[in-house]
Amino acid sequence: MDEEFRALPLAALAEAALSAARAAGAGYADLRVHRQVRQSIRLRDGRVEAVTDSIDLGFAVRVIVDGTWGFASHADLSPATAVQVARRAVTVATTLRALNRERVELADEPVYGDAQWVSDYAIDPFEVPTPEKVALLQDYSERLSAADGVDHVEAHVLQVKEQTYYTDTAGSAITQQRVRLHPHLEAITVDAGAGAFETMRTLAAPAGRGWEYVTGADGVWDWTGELARIPQWLAEKVKAPTVTPGPTDLVVDPTNLWLTIHESIGHATEYDRAIGYEAAYAGTSFATPDQLGTLRYGTPIMHVTGDRVERHGLASVGYDDEGVAGQRWDLVREGVLVGYQLDRVFAPRLGLDRSNGCSYADSAHHVPIQRMANVSLQPDPVRDTSTEELISRIENGIYIVGDKSWSIDMQRYNFQFTGQRFFRIRNGRLAGQLRDVAYQATTTDFWGSMEAVGGPSTWVLGGAFNCGKAQPGQVAAVSHGCPSVLVRGVNILNTRSEAGR
């Protein structure tokens, strides 16, 4: 834990805010100090375009007065300001009480006194000198730009260190620190005569790891091998034939499938969406609570979990922003919807005694809301089926690698996804690339067509830094683990012809 954060007047703020909230009439109160340090480094063709550093620091007080929420925040971390902010939060709750039609009730949670949690990383990226980080990205860029057919190279790494101190009137006091980053490079080839271009990028997922992930020192990602192969993949993609649309058997790689999970399962099993509480930002969900325990989400081999504890997961924490300890639970079991993602307010509404820890705010100045956990499709628990074996089962199909664009409706039901690379499968073997591919389905049709899942050796943790929700908008990072999968008869679109070209 950084001494700079520990040196903040955390205990003094807590004493001042919680005492003032109680004295002003709050039946419950919590205080959250939130510090987020960010750095973005962006290069084009080996030259630095931008290095941006920022720090967001402040604290928030939430209260419940007669069953109504109140919230206020400030950037000045002084006990005197904490008293004022706590009183303002009580005033907000008192003012809103006449408009509140549903009394706030929080699910119980054990008290965690003087708890501390730090995410798992070896090298704090903020301890690495910026010139050293730039030099590494320049080296990676030069490896790509030296290859024939690569006209431009873009390189980017985003790093975040997030620190929180949470305490409440029940007695919990929790200090946390987590680090995450996302490095990627993209090679671009330009056909000036045709006025067209094509791209190919690295597929290393954003992760709750340190700088060792970017250098490759931890052995997690083979940067040397991938950078050497990208120019060849890009050249093949440019010359590849366009796809023939229609129902097609697919093997979907984890580097693509994580996004399908995010959109069609992750958002769909957010309880606030499922009950219509969240609707303005990206809609609600077809997976409503009246179908809990009966909705056939997919085939019986489908087992999806939510968790806040996966090692290196972007949504992994020791405790959420309501002081709930990290957990793992089932969302879909044997193909049937069996659970949701919840916070302490929504758990009782579903008849549960405890939240599964899905409360998060991306800033001290935003109210914690129910946010997505790490949502993951589990691999075959019996047999370690390889991706190559899944491919061998297809006579005529496509192997899809890497994510790109996507679209899904406001019920998380009708969707289409594209990818980075598409390989034709002929008689159980890869037979060159295809272009202009998108797969389209409804959520239940797609997962209901899943014939096989790969084993543990195919399981990869993907994810995103920029999952958006709420108004005012908030952004959260989330991971999705999954194996390779085999799905039958999925509708393939030709994106070129769909665009009228």
Side-chain angles (χ1 to χ4, degrees), residues 310-344:
E310 181 65 40
R311 188 183 182 198
H312 305 302
L314 294 171
S316 297
V317 292
Y319 309 85
D320 77 350
D321 283 353
E322 293 181 327
V324 178
Q327 305 159 47
R328 188 186 304 271
W329 67 97
D330 286 347
L331 293 168
V332 177
R333 185 171 56 243
E334 296 180 349
V336 176
L337 175 70
V338 295
Y340 288 100
Q341 303 162 68
L342 303 159
D343 62 15
R344 290 181 69 179

PDB file of all heavy atoms in Angstrom, residues 310-344:
ATOM      1  N   GLU A 310     -11.236 -13.244  -8.930  1.00  0.00           N
ATOM      2  CA  GLU A 310     -10.324 -13.866  -9.887  1.00  0.00           C
ATOM      3  C   GLU A 310      -8.974 -13.151  -9.873  1.00  0.00           C
ATOM      4  O   GLU A 310      -8.886 -11.936  -9.983  1.00  0.00           O
ATOM      5  CB  GLU A 310     -10.919 -13.800 -11.298  1.00  0.00           C
ATOM      6  CG  GLU A 310     -10.053 -14.433 -12.369  1.00  0.00           C
ATOM      7  CD  GLU A 310      -9.895 -15.928 -12.201  1.00  0.00           C
ATOM      8  OE1 GLU A 310     -10.906 -16.593 -11.847  1.00  0.00           O
ATOM      9  OE2 GLU A 310      -8.780 -16.433 -12.418  1.00  0.00           O
ATOM     10  N   ARG A 311      -7.900 -13.931  -9.729  1.00  0.00           N
ATOM     11  CA  ARG A 311      -6.566 -13.349  -9.704  1.00  0.00           C
ATOM     12  C   ARG A 311      -6.304 -12.584 -11.006  1.00  0.00           C
ATOM     13  O   ARG A 311      -6.514 -13.105 -12.099  1.00  0.00           O
ATOM     14  CB  ARG A 311      -5.532 -14.467  -9.531  1.00  0.00           C
ATOM     15  CG  ARG A 311      -4.118 -13.966  -9.299  1.00  0.00           C
ATOM     16  CD  ARG A 311      -3.152 -15.117  -9.206  1.00  0.00           C
ATOM     17  NE  ARG A 311      -1.793 -14.656  -8.939  1.00  0.00           N
ATOM     18  CZ  ARG A 311      -0.703 -15.389  -9.136  1.00  0.00           C
ATOM     19  NH1 ARG A 311      -0.819 -16.625  -9.597  1.00  0.00           N
ATOM     20  NH2 ARG A 311       0.484 -14.895  -8.867  1.00  0.00           N
ATOM     21  N   HIS A 312      -5.887 -11.351 -10.895  1.00  0.00           N
ATOM     22  CA  HIS A 312      -5.598 -10.443 -12.010  1.00  0.00           C
ATOM     23  C   HIS A 312      -6.856  -9.971 -12.741  1.00  0.00           C
ATOM     24  O   HIS A 312      -6.757  -9.352 -13.801  1.00  0.00           O
ATOM     25  CB  HIS A 312      -4.626 -11.076 -13.012  1.00  0.00           C
ATOM     26  CG  HIS A 312      -3.345 -11.549 -12.396  1.00  0.00           C
ATOM     27  ND1 HIS A 312      -2.502 -10.703 -11.713  1.00  0.00           N
ATOM     28  CD2 HIS A 312      -2.777 -12.789 -12.343  1.00  0.00           C
ATOM     29  CE1 HIS A 312      -1.452 -11.392 -11.282  1.00  0.00           C
ATOM     30  NE2 HIS A 312      -1.605 -12.652 -11.639  1.00  0.00           N
ATOM     31  N   GLY A 313      -8.040 -10.270 -12.214  1.00  0.00           N
ATOM     32  CA  GLY A 313      -9.266  -9.783 -12.833  1.00  0.00           C
ATOM     33  C   GLY A 313      -9.410  -8.277 -12.663  1.00  0.00           C
ATOM     34  O   GLY A 313      -9.066  -7.711 -11.618  1.00  0.00           O
ATOM     35  N   LEU A 314      -9.953  -7.624 -13.679  1.00  0.00           N
ATOM     36  CA  LEU A 314     -10.105  -6.170 -13.626  1.00  0.00           C
ATOM     37  C   LEU A 314     -11.183  -5.738 -12.640  1.00  0.00           C
ATOM     38  O   LEU A 314     -11.130  -4.622 -12.116  1.00  0.00           O
ATOM     39  CB  LEU A 314     -10.445  -5.635 -15.018  1.00  0.00           C
ATOM     40  CG  LEU A 314      -9.346  -5.784 -16.073  1.00  0.00           C
ATOM     41  CD1 LEU A 314      -9.879  -5.414 -17.447  1.00  0.00           C
ATOM     42  CD2 LEU A 314      -8.138  -4.926 -15.722  1.00  0.00           C
ATOM     43  N   ALA A 315     -12.170  -6.580 -12.389  1.00  0.00           N
ATOM     44  CA  ALA A 315     -13.221  -6.251 -11.425  1.00  0.00           C
ATOM     45  C   ALA A 315     -12.965  -6.883 -10.062  1.00  0.00           C
ATOM     46  O   ALA A 315     -13.841  -6.859  -9.201  1.00  0.00           O
ATOM     47  CB  ALA A 315     -14.586  -6.693 -11.956  1.00  0.00           C
ATOM     48  N   SER A 316     -11.777  -7.456  -9.868  1.00  0.00           N
ATOM     49  CA  SER A 316     -11.461  -8.123  -8.610  1.00  0.00           C
ATOM     50  C   SER A 316     -11.089  -7.105  -7.531  1.00  0.00           C
ATOM     51  O   SER A 316     -10.294  -6.191  -7.779  1.00  0.00           O
ATOM     52  CB  SER A 316     -10.314  -9.110  -8.801  1.00  0.00           C
ATOM     53  OG  SER A 316     -10.682 -10.136  -9.699  1.00  0.00           O
ATOM     54  N   VAL A 317     -11.680  -7.279  -6.363  1.00  0.00           N
ATOM     55  CA  VAL A 317     -11.404  -6.428  -5.210  1.00  0.00           C
ATOM     56  C   VAL A 317     -11.461  -7.292  -3.955  1.00  0.00           C
ATOM     57  O   VAL A 317     -11.996  -8.403  -3.967  1.00  0.00           O
ATOM     58  CB  VAL A 317     -12.427  -5.277  -5.079  1.00  0.00           C
ATOM     59  CG1 VAL A 317     -12.280  -4.283  -6.225  1.00  0.00           C
ATOM     60  CG2 VAL A 317     -13.851  -5.813  -5.018  1.00  0.00           C
ATOM     61  N   GLY A 318     -10.912  -6.782  -2.882  1.00  0.00           N
ATOM     62  CA  GLY A 318     -11.096  -7.463  -1.608  1.00  0.00           C
ATOM     63  C   GLY A 318     -12.493  -7.231  -1.079  1.00  0.00           C
ATOM     64  O   GLY A 318     -13.136  -8.133  -0.534  1.00  0.00           O
ATOM     65  N   TYR A 319     -12.993  -6.002  -1.267  1.00  0.00           N
ATOM     66  CA  TYR A 319     -14.305  -5.577  -0.772  1.00  0.00           C
ATOM     67  C   TYR A 319     -14.862  -4.547  -1.759  1.00  0.00           C
ATOM     68  O   TYR A 319     -14.122  -3.750  -2.325  1.00  0.00           O
ATOM     69  CB  TYR A 319     -14.186  -4.942   0.620  1.00  0.00           C
ATOM     70  CG  TYR A 319     -13.425  -5.801   1.602  1.00  0.00           C
ATOM     71  CD1 TYR A 319     -12.041  -5.741   1.660  1.00  0.00           C
ATOM     72  CD2 TYR A 319     -14.091  -6.682   2.460  1.00  0.00           C
ATOM     73  CE1 TYR A 319     -11.326  -6.536   2.549  1.00  0.00           C
ATOM     74  CE2 TYR A 319     -13.385  -7.481   3.351  1.00  0.00           C
ATOM     75  CZ  TYR A 319     -12.001  -7.405   3.384  1.00  0.00           C
ATOM     76  OH  TYR A 319     -11.297  -8.196   4.260  1.00  0.00           O
ATOM     77  N   ASP A 320     -16.172  -4.549  -1.945  1.00  0.00           N
ATOM     78  CA  ASP A 320     -16.749  -3.582  -2.875  1.00  0.00           C
ATOM     79  C   ASP A 320     -16.965  -2.244  -2.177  1.00  0.00           C
ATOM     80  O   ASP A 320     -16.546  -2.038  -1.034  1.00  0.00           O
ATOM     81  CB  ASP A 320     -18.031  -4.136  -3.504  1.00  0.00           C
ATOM     82  CG  ASP A 320     -19.244  -4.096  -2.577  1.00  0.00           C
ATOM     83  OD1 ASP A 320     -19.090  -3.821  -1.369  1.00  0.00           O
ATOM     84  OD2 ASP A 320     -20.366  -4.335  -3.070  1.00  0.00           O
ATOM     85  N   ASP A 321     -17.616  -1.306  -2.855  1.00  0.00           N
ATOM     86  CA  ASP A 321     -17.778   0.045  -2.321  1.00  0.00           C
ATOM     87  C   ASP A 321     -18.909   0.157  -1.315  1.00  0.00           C
ATOM     88  O   ASP A 321     -19.299   1.269  -0.928  1.00  0.00           O
ATOM     89  CB  ASP A 321     -17.972   1.039  -3.461  1.00  0.00           C
ATOM     90  CG  ASP A 321     -16.660   1.357  -4.158  1.00  0.00           C
ATOM     91  OD1 ASP A 321     -15.598   0.911  -3.675  1.00  0.00           O
ATOM     92  OD2 ASP A 321     -16.688   2.058  -5.200  1.00  0.00           O
ATOM     93  N   GLU A 322     -19.442  -0.980  -0.861  1.00  0.00           N
ATOM     94  CA  GLU A 322     -20.357  -1.031   0.276  1.00  0.00           C
ATOM     95  C   GLU A 322     -19.808  -1.908   1.386  1.00  0.00           C
ATOM     96  O   GLU A 322     -20.547  -2.313   2.286  1.00  0.00           O
ATOM     97  CB  GLU A 322     -21.735  -1.547  -0.167  1.00  0.00           C
ATOM     98  CG  GLU A 322     -22.455  -0.576  -1.090  1.00  0.00           C
ATOM     99  CD  GLU A 322     -23.827  -1.066  -1.508  1.00  0.00           C
ATOM    100  OE1 GLU A 322     -24.014  -2.297  -1.654  1.00  0.00           O
ATOM    101  OE2 GLU A 322     -24.717  -0.230  -1.703  1.00  0.00           O
ATOM    102  N   GLY A 323     -18.506  -2.239   1.298  1.00  0.00           N
ATOM    103  CA  GLY A 323     -17.873  -3.026   2.349  1.00  0.00           C
ATOM    104  C   GLY A 323     -18.211  -4.499   2.319  1.00  0.00           C
ATOM    105  O   GLY A 323     -18.080  -5.193   3.334  1.00  0.00           O
ATOM    106  N   VAL A 324     -18.617  -5.019   1.146  1.00  0.00           N
ATOM    107  CA  VAL A 324     -18.963  -6.440   1.002  1.00  0.00           C
ATOM    108  C   VAL A 324     -17.748  -7.198   0.475  1.00  0.00           C
ATOM    109  O   VAL A 324     -17.143  -6.806  -0.522  1.00  0.00           O
ATOM    110  CB  VAL A 324     -20.160  -6.624   0.054  1.00  0.00           C
ATOM    111  CG1 VAL A 324     -20.488  -8.106  -0.121  1.00  0.00           C
ATOM    112  CG2 VAL A 324     -21.374  -5.863   0.578  1.00  0.00           C
ATOM    113  N   ALA A 325     -17.393  -8.289   1.137  1.00  0.00           N
ATOM    114  CA  ALA A 325     -16.214  -9.066   0.756  1.00  0.00           C
ATOM    115  C   ALA A 325     -16.412  -9.732  -0.601  1.00  0.00           C
ATOM    116  O   ALA A 325     -17.521 -10.147  -0.961  1.00  0.00           O
ATOM    117  CB  ALA A 325     -15.920 -10.130   1.814  1.00  0.00           C
ATOM    118  N   GLY A 326     -15.320  -9.840  -1.374  1.00  0.00           N
ATOM    119  CA  GLY A 326     -15.359 -10.464  -2.679  1.00  0.00           C
ATOM    120  C   GLY A 326     -15.796 -11.914  -2.614  1.00  0.00           C
ATOM    121  O   GLY A 326     -15.436 -12.651  -1.699  1.00  0.00           O
ATOM    122  N   GLN A 327     -16.549 -12.352  -3.633  1.00  0.00           N
ATOM    123  CA  GLN A 327     -17.133 -13.699  -3.675  1.00  0.00           C
ATOM    124  C   GLN A 327     -17.129 -14.222  -5.103  1.00  0.00           C
ATOM    125  O   GLN A 327     -16.829 -13.504  -6.047  1.00  0.00           O
ATOM    126  CB  GLN A 327     -18.581 -13.665  -3.177  1.00  0.00           C
ATOM    127  CG  GLN A 327     -18.792 -13.078  -1.802  1.00  0.00           C
ATOM    128  CD  GLN A 327     -20.225 -12.611  -1.603  1.00  0.00           C
ATOM    129  OE1 GLN A 327     -21.185 -13.326  -1.922  1.00  0.00           O
ATOM    130  NE2 GLN A 327     -20.390 -11.399  -1.094  1.00  0.00           N
ATOM    131  N   ARG A 328     -17.523 -15.501  -5.240  1.00  0.00           N
ATOM    132  CA  ARG A 328     -17.782 -16.122  -6.538  1.00  0.00           C
ATOM    133  C   ARG A 328     -19.128 -16.838  -6.459  1.00  0.00           C
ATOM    134  O   ARG A 328     -19.444 -17.467  -5.444  1.00  0.00           O
ATOM    135  CB  ARG A 328     -16.679 -17.123  -6.887  1.00  0.00           C
ATOM    136  CG  ARG A 328     -16.766 -17.683  -8.316  1.00  0.00           C
ATOM    137  CD  ARG A 328     -15.729 -18.783  -8.555  1.00  0.00           C
ATOM    138  NE  ARG A 328     -14.378 -18.343  -8.282  1.00  0.00           N
ATOM    139  CZ  ARG A 328     -13.564 -17.766  -9.146  1.00  0.00           C
ATOM    140  NH1 ARG A 328     -13.982 -17.553 -10.382  1.00  0.00           N
ATOM    141  NH2 ARG A 328     -12.350 -17.396  -8.809  1.00  0.00           N
ATOM    142  N   TRP A 329     -19.935 -16.752  -7.526  1.00  0.00           N
ATOM    143  CA  TRP A 329     -21.255 -17.361  -7.508  1.00  0.00           C
ATOM    144  C   TRP A 329     -21.670 -17.723  -8.929  1.00  0.00           C
ATOM    145  O   TRP A 329     -21.065 -17.270  -9.894  1.00  0.00           O
ATOM    146  CB  TRP A 329     -22.283 -16.411  -6.875  1.00  0.00           C
ATOM    147  CG  TRP A 329     -22.548 -15.175  -7.673  1.00  0.00           C
ATOM    148  CD1 TRP A 329     -23.569 -14.951  -8.538  1.00  0.00           C
ATOM    149  CD2 TRP A 329     -21.746 -13.977  -7.696  1.00  0.00           C
ATOM    150  NE1 TRP A 329     -23.466 -13.705  -9.111  1.00  0.00           N
ATOM    151  CE2 TRP A 329     -22.354 -13.084  -8.603  1.00  0.00           C
ATOM    152  CE3 TRP A 329     -20.576 -13.582  -7.039  1.00  0.00           C
ATOM    153  CZ2 TRP A 329     -21.828 -11.825  -8.878  1.00  0.00           C
ATOM    154  CZ3 TRP A 329     -20.051 -12.326  -7.308  1.00  0.00           C
ATOM    155  CH2 TRP A 329     -20.673 -11.463  -8.217  1.00  0.00           C
ATOM    156  N   ASP A 330     -22.721 -18.520  -9.059  1.00  0.00           N
ATOM    157  CA  ASP A 330     -23.208 -18.957 -10.360  1.00  0.00           C
ATOM    158  C   ASP A 330     -24.236 -17.969 -10.920  1.00  0.00           C
ATOM    159  O   ASP A 330     -25.121 -17.501 -10.200  1.00  0.00           O
ATOM    160  CB  ASP A 330     -23.863 -20.336 -10.260  1.00  0.00           C
ATOM    161  CG  ASP A 330     -22.853 -21.455 -10.098  1.00  0.00           C
ATOM    162  OD1 ASP A 330     -21.648 -21.206 -10.310  1.00  0.00           O
ATOM    163  OD2 ASP A 330     -23.268 -22.577  -9.750  1.00  0.00           O
ATOM    164  N   LEU A 331     -24.122 -17.705 -12.206  1.00  0.00           N
ATOM    165  CA  LEU A 331     -25.125 -16.937 -12.945  1.00  0.00           C
ATOM    166  C   LEU A 331     -25.938 -17.840 -13.863  1.00  0.00           C
ATOM    167  O   LEU A 331     -27.163 -17.734 -13.945  1.00  0.00           O
ATOM    168  CB  LEU A 331     -24.444 -15.841 -13.768  1.00  0.00           C
ATOM    169  CG  LEU A 331     -23.775 -14.720 -12.971  1.00  0.00           C
ATOM    170  CD1 LEU A 331     -22.897 -13.864 -13.873  1.00  0.00           C
ATOM    171  CD2 LEU A 331     -24.809 -13.859 -12.263  1.00  0.00           C
ATOM    172  N   VAL A 332     -25.244 -18.731 -14.568  1.00  0.00           N
ATOM    173  CA  VAL A 332     -25.890 -19.730 -15.426  1.00  0.00           C
ATOM    174  C   VAL A 332     -25.287 -21.082 -15.085  1.00  0.00           C
ATOM    175  O   VAL A 332     -24.060 -21.237 -15.111  1.00  0.00           O
ATOM    176  CB  VAL A 332     -25.685 -19.420 -16.927  1.00  0.00           C
ATOM    177  CG1 VAL A 332     -26.306 -20.518 -17.788  1.00  0.00           C
ATOM    178  CG2 VAL A 332     -26.257 -18.057 -17.288  1.00  0.00           C
ATOM    179  N   ARG A 333     -26.122 -22.037 -14.746  1.00  0.00           N
ATOM    180  CA  ARG A 333     -25.642 -23.378 -14.391  1.00  0.00           C
ATOM    181  C   ARG A 333     -26.420 -24.406 -15.199  1.00  0.00           C
ATOM    182  O   ARG A 333     -27.642 -24.374 -15.261  1.00  0.00           O
ATOM    183  CB  ARG A 333     -25.830 -23.626 -12.892  1.00  0.00           C
ATOM    184  CG  ARG A 333     -25.253 -24.950 -12.402  1.00  0.00           C
ATOM    185  CD  ARG A 333     -25.261 -25.059 -10.883  1.00  0.00           C
ATOM    186  NE  ARG A 333     -26.591 -24.883 -10.324  1.00  0.00           N
ATOM    187  CZ  ARG A 333     -26.940 -23.886  -9.512  1.00  0.00           C
ATOM    188  NH1 ARG A 333     -26.065 -22.946  -9.187  1.00  0.00           N
ATOM    189  NH2 ARG A 333     -28.181 -23.811  -9.038  1.00  0.00           N
ATOM    190  N   GLU A 334     -25.663 -25.279 -15.884  1.00  0.00           N
ATOM    191  CA  GLU A 334     -26.250 -26.287 -16.772  1.00  0.00           C
ATOM    192  C   GLU A 334     -27.186 -25.633 -17.785  1.00  0.00           C
ATOM    193  O   GLU A 334     -28.241 -26.174 -18.128  1.00  0.00           O
ATOM    194  CB  GLU A 334     -26.967 -27.376 -15.969  1.00  0.00           C
ATOM    195  CG  GLU A 334     -25.993 -28.174 -15.084  1.00  0.00           C
ATOM    196  CD  GLU A 334     -26.700 -29.256 -14.296  1.00  0.00           C
ATOM    197  OE1 GLU A 334     -27.949 -29.272 -14.263  1.00  0.00           O
ATOM    198  OE2 GLU A 334     -25.989 -30.090 -13.696  1.00  0.00           O
ATOM    199  N   GLY A 335     -26.799 -24.437 -18.229  1.00  0.00           N
ATOM    200  CA  GLY A 335     -27.546 -23.738 -19.263  1.00  0.00           C
ATOM    201  C   GLY A 335     -28.747 -22.953 -18.794  1.00  0.00           C
ATOM    202  O   GLY A 335     -29.439 -22.340 -19.609  1.00  0.00           O
ATOM    203  N   VAL A 336     -29.009 -22.908 -17.480  1.00  0.00           N
ATOM    204  CA  VAL A 336     -30.202 -22.251 -16.938  1.00  0.00           C
ATOM    205  C   VAL A 336     -29.795 -21.035 -16.108  1.00  0.00           C
ATOM    206  O   VAL A 336     -28.841 -21.079 -15.337  1.00  0.00           O
ATOM    207  CB  VAL A 336     -31.021 -23.225 -16.069  1.00  0.00           C
ATOM    208  CG1 VAL A 336     -32.204 -22.511 -15.421  1.00  0.00           C
ATOM    209  CG2 VAL A 336     -31.508 -24.403 -16.914  1.00  0.00           C
ATOM    210  N   LEU A 337     -30.529 -19.933 -16.264  1.00  0.00           N
ATOM    211  CA  LEU A 337     -30.292 -18.722 -15.474  1.00  0.00           C
ATOM    212  C   LEU A 337     -30.578 -19.003 -14.003  1.00  0.00           C
ATOM    213  O   LEU A 337     -31.704 -19.370 -13.641  1.00  0.00           O
ATOM    214  CB  LEU A 337     -31.202 -17.598 -15.974  1.00  0.00           C
ATOM    215  CG  LEU A 337     -31.166 -16.291 -15.177  1.00  0.00           C
ATOM    216  CD1 LEU A 337     -29.827 -15.582 -15.372  1.00  0.00           C
ATOM    217  CD2 LEU A 337     -32.331 -15.383 -15.585  1.00  0.00           C
ATOM    218  N   VAL A 338     -29.566 -18.807 -13.136  1.00  0.00           N
ATOM    219  CA  VAL A 338     -29.746 -19.103 -11.708  1.00  0.00           C
ATOM    220  C   VAL A 338     -29.324 -17.954 -10.800  1.00  0.00           C
ATOM    221  O   VAL A 338     -29.475 -18.063  -9.573  1.00  0.00           O
ATOM    222  CB  VAL A 338     -28.964 -20.377 -11.299  1.00  0.00           C
ATOM    223  CG1 VAL A 338     -29.515 -21.600 -12.003  1.00  0.00           C
ATOM    224  CG2 VAL A 338     -27.470 -20.217 -11.552  1.00  0.00           C
ATOM    225  N   GLY A 339     -28.793 -16.860 -11.338  1.00  0.00           N
ATOM    226  CA  GLY A 339     -28.345 -15.791 -10.457  1.00  0.00           C
ATOM    227  C   GLY A 339     -28.179 -14.472 -11.167  1.00  0.00           C
ATOM    228  O   GLY A 339     -28.237 -14.382 -12.400  1.00  0.00           O
ATOM    229  N   TYR A 340     -27.952 -13.435 -10.342  1.00  0.00           N
ATOM    230  CA  TYR A 340     -27.738 -12.076 -10.844  1.00  0.00           C
ATOM    231  C   TYR A 340     -26.557 -11.452 -10.112  1.00  0.00           C
ATOM    232  O   TYR A 340     -26.076 -11.950  -9.095  1.00  0.00           O
ATOM    233  CB  TYR A 340     -28.978 -11.207 -10.604  1.00  0.00           C
ATOM    234  CG  TYR A 340     -30.151 -11.530 -11.477  1.00  0.00           C
ATOM    235  CD1 TYR A 340     -31.203 -12.313 -10.998  1.00  0.00           C
ATOM    236  CD2 TYR A 340     -30.229 -11.059 -12.779  1.00  0.00           C
ATOM    237  CE1 TYR A 340     -32.300 -12.613 -11.792  1.00  0.00           C
ATOM    238  CE2 TYR A 340     -31.324 -11.357 -13.587  1.00  0.00           C
ATOM    239  CZ  TYR A 340     -32.356 -12.125 -13.083  1.00  0.00           C
ATOM    240  OH  TYR A 340     -33.432 -12.423 -13.882  1.00  0.00           O
ATOM    241  N   GLN A 341     -26.143 -10.309 -10.617  1.00  0.00           N
ATOM    242  CA  GLN A 341     -25.159  -9.470  -9.944  1.00  0.00           C
ATOM    243  C   GLN A 341     -25.919  -8.454  -9.091  1.00  0.00           C
ATOM    244  O   GLN A 341     -26.853  -7.816  -9.578  1.00  0.00           O
ATOM    245  CB  GLN A 341     -24.293  -8.763 -10.970  1.00  0.00           C
ATOM    246  CG  GLN A 341     -23.591  -9.733 -11.919  1.00  0.00           C
ATOM    247  CD  GLN A 341     -23.097  -9.034 -13.166  1.00  0.00           C
ATOM    248  OE1 GLN A 341     -22.193  -8.213 -13.109  1.00  0.00           O
ATOM    249  NE2 GLN A 341     -23.695  -9.354 -14.312  1.00  0.00           N
ATOM    250  N   LEU A 342     -25.490  -8.295  -7.820  1.00  0.00           N
ATOM    251  CA  LEU A 342     -26.292  -7.552  -6.853  1.00  0.00           C
ATOM    252  C   LEU A 342     -25.441  -6.643  -5.976  1.00  0.00           C
ATOM    253  O   LEU A 342     -24.248  -6.885  -5.786  1.00  0.00           O
ATOM    254  CB  LEU A 342     -27.034  -8.528  -5.931  1.00  0.00           C
ATOM    255  CG  LEU A 342     -27.951  -9.558  -6.594  1.00  0.00           C
ATOM    256  CD1 LEU A 342     -28.184 -10.725  -5.656  1.00  0.00           C
ATOM    257  CD2 LEU A 342     -29.268  -8.905  -6.968  1.00  0.00           C
ATOM    258  N   ASP A 343     -26.076  -5.611  -5.411  1.00  0.00           N
ATOM    259  CA  ASP A 343     -25.470  -4.845  -4.340  1.00  0.00           C
ATOM    260  C   ASP A 343     -26.329  -5.025  -3.085  1.00  0.00           C
ATOM    261  O   ASP A 343     -27.243  -5.847  -3.058  1.00  0.00           O
ATOM    262  CB  ASP A 343     -25.288  -3.375  -4.726  1.00  0.00           C
ATOM    263  CG  ASP A 343     -26.608  -2.665  -5.020  1.00  0.00           C
ATOM    264  OD1 ASP A 343     -27.677  -3.202  -4.664  1.00  0.00           O
ATOM    265  OD2 ASP A 343     -26.564  -1.570  -5.599  1.00  0.00           O
ATOM    266  N   ARG A 344     -26.050  -4.251  -2.045  1.00  0.00           N
ATOM    267  CA  ARG A 344     -26.735  -4.466  -0.755  1.00  0.00           C
ATOM    268  C   ARG A 344     -28.199  -4.020  -0.782  1.00  0.00           C
ATOM    269  O   ARG A 344     -28.985  -4.459   0.058  1.00  0.00           O
ATOM    270  CB  ARG A 344     -25.976  -3.753   0.364  1.00  0.00           C
ATOM    271  CG  ARG A 344     -24.645  -4.391   0.692  1.00  0.00           C
ATOM    272  CD  ARG A 344     -23.933  -3.679   1.833  1.00  0.00           C
ATOM    273  NE  ARG A 344     -24.612  -3.869   3.101  1.00  0.00           N
ATOM    274  CZ  ARG A 344     -24.172  -3.359   4.251  1.00  0.00           C
ATOM    275  NH1 ARG A 344     -23.061  -2.619   4.275  1.00  0.00           N
ATOM    276  NH2 ARG A 344     -24.832  -3.570   5.377  1.00  0.00           N
TER     277      ARG A 344
END
